[in-house]
Amino acid sequence: MKDVLIAAMQQDRQGAERLSNEMNVAAAPIKLQRFPDRESKVRVMQAGRVTVLYASLDRPDEKLIPLIFAASALRDLGAEKIILAAPYLCYMRQDKAFHDGEAVSQQVLAKILSPWIDEIVTVEPHLHRVADFSAVFPDIKAIALSAAPLLAALVDNSKGSKNILLVGPDQEARAWTKAVAEAAQAPFVIMTKQRRGDRDVEVVYDDATTVEGREVYLVDDIVSSGATLAAATLVLKQKGAARIEALAVHALCSSDDLIQLKEAGLFRLRSTDTVPHETNAISAAPLLADALRKEIARLQSTYQA
Ligand code: R5P
């Protein structure tokens, strides 16, 4: 048995390969068969003593059950430690019951995953009312990586920081917009958003900072329907922005949503590859690899002690 192995299903093959190259660790496929009634059968081909189970959890309702089967099968094959590397972690936004009778999906998801894995590593989970990722997964080691260095690398401030403005579309975006702005050495402001429905949002620019003539970078963690970015783009265009583009960690929106963003006046959307998407412009693999290498070294030192 290998000391360390990456395991991933076909749908995550490219991301797993990038991680494998960064870490110089072999990646093994996990076979997934869907029966006509949509049940799943999972077969893992090999396990490592430490196995990194790589899975991006967009389309979560179809991916979570096979993921749990895979973790169980890896354990049966002898994996002593399973680290779930989920660059995009689903269901983090429903962190409270907004109305009577609603499930707190964030907490439920953690309870579903925790018994099957030893650790979880993710990139920029949507933490709003919960300050710390460890509080979401109290039973296992939980590591949240900041995507700020990745998004900051996409900001071009070669014409001077006075020419550009980073904009968070809502208060929830404050933390990541501030982190990207600091890393890119650029100014930032935050807009105010009111969501009335899945695709019905109103965004207001109520900051005194001038937008006119500046190159604006909208910064958000998730682009789901694109409604937030579209509304913010329309407002910033009215304010006279010279160009508006958007940087997102996790892009989940459809091609039709992208067309609507163009029509709203957005120059382009660029994202990290935490979710495979046509807007991917920078890979999170080096970030994940660095964190996983440190964590695996720590685990291996406890074996040797
Ligand atoms: C919400 O608080 C998130 O940070 C994003 O702003 C939101 O998920 C984007 O959703 P949509 O693209 O559907 O407006």
Side-chain angles (χ1 to χ4, degrees):
M1 178 185 280
K2 288 189 188 310
D3 271 351
V4 186
L5 186 78
I6 297 168
M9 282 177 237
Q10 174 67 18
Q11 60 215 5
D12 289 306
R13 190 177 49 83
Q14 287 182 342
E17 271 173 15
R18 283 194 282 267
L19 186 62
S20 158
N21 291 337
E22 284 291 333
M23 294 180 73
N24 203 15
V25 164
I30 299 172
K31 292 191 175 166
L32 168 64
Q33 182 185 345
R34 297 266 189 206
F35 293 107
D37 61 5
R38 305 304 293 157
E39 282 190 355
S40 310
K41 183 168 83 175
V42 165
R43 185 171 176 210
V44 302
M45 308 314 287
Q46 52 177 314
R49 205 169 167 201
V50 178
T51 301
V52 175
L53 177 54
Y54 181 91
S56 179
L57 291 175
D58 59 316
R59 292 177 285 128
D61 295 4
E62 72 183 69
K63 288 185 172 181
L64 282 168
I65 289 287
L67 180 75
I68 289 167
F69 292 167
S72 170
L74 286 166
R75 198 72 87 189
D76 291 345
L77 275 193
E80 289 171 32
K81 295 286 179 194
I82 298 175
I83 305 176
L84 174 60
Y88 169 63
L89 185 59
C90 55
Y91 285 124
M92 290 295 103
R93 283 169 288 179
Q94 180 82 10
D95 59 2
K96 71 169 200 174
F98 294 89
H99 304 97
D100 285 348
E102 285 179 358
V104 183
S105 317
Q106 186 190 73
Q107 290 172 8
V108 178
L109 180 83
K111 284 184 185 147
I112 291 170
L113 289 177
S114 294
W116 302 99
I117 55 176
D118 299 287
E119 304 193 10
I120 182 166
V121 178
T122 192
V123 179
E124 212 75 74
H126 185 97
L127 300 180
H128 182 43
R129 278 156 284 262
V130 183
D132 185 353
F133 191 46
S134 303
V136 181
F137 283 87
D139 299 330
I140 59 172
K141 180 148 191 195
I143 300 172
L145 305 172
S146 166
L150 302 179
L151 297 191
L154 299 175
V155 174
D156 174 12
N157 61 6
S158 58
K159 289 185 212 145
S161 60
K162 280 193 185 138
N163 189 53
I164 59 178
L165 185 63
L166 271 56
V167 179
D170 55 33
Q171 282 303 329
E172 293 180 30
R174 173 175 286 280
W176 43 87
T177 307
K178 182 169 183 276
V180 176
E182 281 170 3
Q185 296 182 307
F188 78 98
V189 297
I190 301 297
M191 297 173 88
T192 305
K193 177 169 94 179
Q194 199 193 346
R195 185 179 284 283
R196 289 186 286 258
D198 286 347
R199 289 173 183 272
D200 183 8
V201 298
E202 188 187 335
V203 183
V204 175
Y205 187 93
D206 43 17
D207 197 283
T209 308
T210 305
V211 172
E212 195 172 353
R214 292 173 97 160
E215 298 198 349
V216 171
Y217 292 84
L218 278 161
V219 181
D220 212 351
D221 61 339
I222 302 172
V223 184
S224 183
S225 68
T228 299
L229 290 183
T233 300
L234 288 170
V235 172
L236 293 163
K237 205 166 64 175
Q238 276 174 359
K239 293 262 169 203
R243 192 180 79 168
I244 305 155
E245 69 169 286
L247 307 175
V249 185
H250 316 291
L252 304 168
C253 56
S254 69
S255 300
D256 285 349
D257 297 329
L258 287 176
I259 291 169
Q260 292 202 352
L261 284 171
K262 274 251 176 268
E263 285 170 0
L266 191 74
F267 167 61
R268 65 179 165 187
L269 164 65
R270 287 185 291 166
S271 63
T272 77
D273 66 352
T274 56
V275 177
H277 196 267
E278 59 191 283
T279 61
N280 288 168
I282 193 163
S283 179
L287 195 68
L288 280 165
D290 191 45
L292 286 164
R293 261 194 301 266
K294 287 181 190 142
E295 198 45 34
I296 290 165
R298 190 189 65 80
L299 286 170
Q300 289 175 331
S301 72
T302 62
Y303 288 150
Q304 283 151 12

